[in-house]
Amino acid sequence: MPYVIWRGPYVIDAGHLDEGELRKGSAALVTGIRTAVVAFTAALGAGVALLYTARTYRLTRRGQITDRFTKALERLGSPEIYVRIGGVLALEQIVQDTPEQAATDAARVLGHFVRHRAPKAETQPAAAEASSNPLPTEPEADVQAALTALTRTESRTHIDPRERLDLRGLHLAGARLHGADLTDADLMGATLTDADLSKATLTRANLHSASLTGAQLVEAQFSRAYLVGAKLTGATMFRATLTNADLTAATLTGANLFSATLTEADLTGATLTSANLGSASLTEARLSGAKLTEVSLREATLTKADLRASDLSTAKSLVPAQITSARTDEDTKLPPRFYVSTGASAVS
């Protein structure tokens, strides 16, 4: 480098240097070139130092994350519940602090923790009642903490979207998941009896045969969710959104769907006995073969709804204008007041 600084000008700008005139002023040119070479060298050195510093920072940060991860895993295995909760919170912090592979790995560990700690759902309710160890009415504190950490919106944004939340077949009765993000989650066969899922997002979630009896689902988002055979008896679903949801053969006995949006939802063969569908939107919904005994349809929108082979004979607050806008056939049973004295249907 000293040689470059000393002899560089005579090589780089040799054509502009007059050996005979160096003493008269060309020396200034040499000095300027030497200064430029020094500045360039300094800048290059600073750039190399910056790259090295950045690499060192990444390695140090990765080591810190690994250390935090290891300590959190040790806590999760503790017999003390408060230590396990500390481990869950530590992993949640990793998820939120590291929007990279570490966040997905931490979420995967939390998912395994929930599946290991939460009891399995009983496939037969009678078996649960007869068991000497009845299933709990709410998750243990460490399981609840892990569920909360896994379903926070700010946490899910850092996790690889391909990492699907797997809660299949778990007993999660009484879980508190208000505002949770369960987009694309797999809850097939899970028990969420009396759970609070108000304002939760369950878009495209798999809830096949899941039990949500008595669950709080106020303003929950179920767009394109798979709810085939799901049990929603007595569920509170004020203003819930079930656009394009598949509720085939689902049980919604006594469910409160006031002002719910069921546009293009599939309710074929569903049981809606005594359900409240007041002010609900059922535009283009499929209700063929649905059980609608004593269902309340006050001011519900039935535009282009498929009511073929549906029994509405005991439906409450149903008016002819609603039926006129829906699709019916000769197998559609309407309230007695809809028929003329001859017994012929007043609605074609």
Side-chain angles (χ1 to χ4, degrees):
M1 187 58 68
Y3 178 80
V4 171
I5 294 172
W6 179 252
R7 297 299 305 170
Y10 297 96
V11 176
I12 297 171
D13 268 338
H16 300 284
L17 297 177
D18 185 345
E19 292 288 347
E21 298 294 328
L22 282 176
R23 291 189 181 88
K24 297 181 180 180
S26 294
L29 180 59
V30 173
T31 302
I33 294 174
R34 286 174 178 168
T35 302
V37 171
V38 171
F40 172 76
T41 303
L44 181 62
V48 172
L50 183 61
L51 289 174
Y52 180 78
T53 302
R55 180 175 179 274
T56 302
Y57 170 76
R58 286 197 299 271
L59 291 174
T60 302
R61 185 166 179 265
R62 187 176 299 172
Q64 290 174 343
I65 292 171
T66 301
D67 185 56
R68 290 168 60 189
F69 206 104
T70 302
K71 290 180 179 178
L73 291 178
E74 292 173 354
R75 293 176 183 175
L76 289 182
S78 172
E80 302 293 339
I81 190 168
Y82 64 89
V83 178
R84 294 197 298 272
I85 292 173
V88 169
L89 296 177
L91 283 176
E92 181 184 12
Q93 199 63 51
I94 291 173
V95 171
Q96 295 183 8
D97 289 348
T98 57
E100 49 191 42
Q101 186 59 42
T104 301
D105 292 340
R108 189 177 295 127
V109 170
L110 284 173
H112 283 295
F113 178 79
V114 171
R115 288 191 291 276
H116 175 71
R117 294 286 303 168
K120 301 297 181 184
E122 291 286 354
T123 55
Q124 300 295 332
E129 294 176 2
S131 174
S132 57
N133 296 311
L135 293 172
T137 57
E138 61 181 27
E140 290 190 32
D142 54 346
V143 174
Q144 178 62 61
L147 285 171
T148 302
L150 275 170
T151 59
R152 286 189 200 276
T153 301
E154 54 269 32
S155 297
R156 299 306 301 177
T157 55
H158 294 166
I159 300 169
D160 189 330
R162 294 172 295 182
E163 186 66 22
R164 192 178 189 188
L165 184 57
D166 184 1
L167 300 172
R168 289 175 295 171
L170 297 181
H171 180 82
L172 301 170
R176 299 181 299 281
L177 295 167
H178 186 99
D181 186 350
L182 290 155
T183 303
D184 293 315
D186 192 347
L187 290 152
M188 183 175 69
T191 298
L192 290 155
T193 305
D194 296 322
D196 183 3
L197 286 155
S198 298
K199 296 186 177 181
T201 300
L202 294 113
T203 302
R204 298 184 302 276
N206 179 12
L207 290 146
H208 182 276
S209 300
S211 176
L212 293 114
T213 301
Q216 293 293 319
L217 302 167
V218 178
E219 296 184 10
Q221 299 287 330
F222 285 95
S223 297
R224 299 188 297 282
Y226 191 70
L227 290 146
V228 174
K231 300 173 182 63
L232 292 146
T233 302
T236 303
M237 304 176 76
F238 295 151
R239 298 182 295 279
T241 300
L242 295 114
T243 304
N244 287 304
D246 191 345
L247 290 144
T248 303
T251 302
L252 294 115
T253 302
N256 195 336
L257 288 145
F258 182 82
S259 290
T261 301
L262 292 126
T263 303
E264 298 185 36
D266 192 347
L267 291 148
T268 304
T271 300
L272 290 144
T273 303
S274 300
N276 179 12
L277 286 163
S279 299
S281 175
L282 291 150
T283 302
E284 297 188 44
R286 295 180 289 283
L287 290 148
S288 179
K291 298 176 179 63
L292 299 160
T293 306
E294 296 187 352
V295 65
S296 175
L297 291 163
R298 182 183 296 276
E299 298 182 2
T301 302
L302 296 168
T303 305
K304 296 183 180 180
D306 186 357
L307 296 170
R308 291 175 295 181
S310 296
D311 187 352
L312 291 156
S313 58
T314 59
K316 299 177 181 179
S317 305
L318 184 67
V319 297
Q322 291 171 294
I323 295 298
T324 301
S325 65
R327 297 173 60 194
T328 61
D329 64 5
E330 62 276 7
D331 294 321
T332 302
K333 296 180 181 179
L334 303 173
R337 64 182 181 278
F338 280 61
Y339 296 91
V340 296
S341 58
T342 60
S345 175
V347 180
S348 59

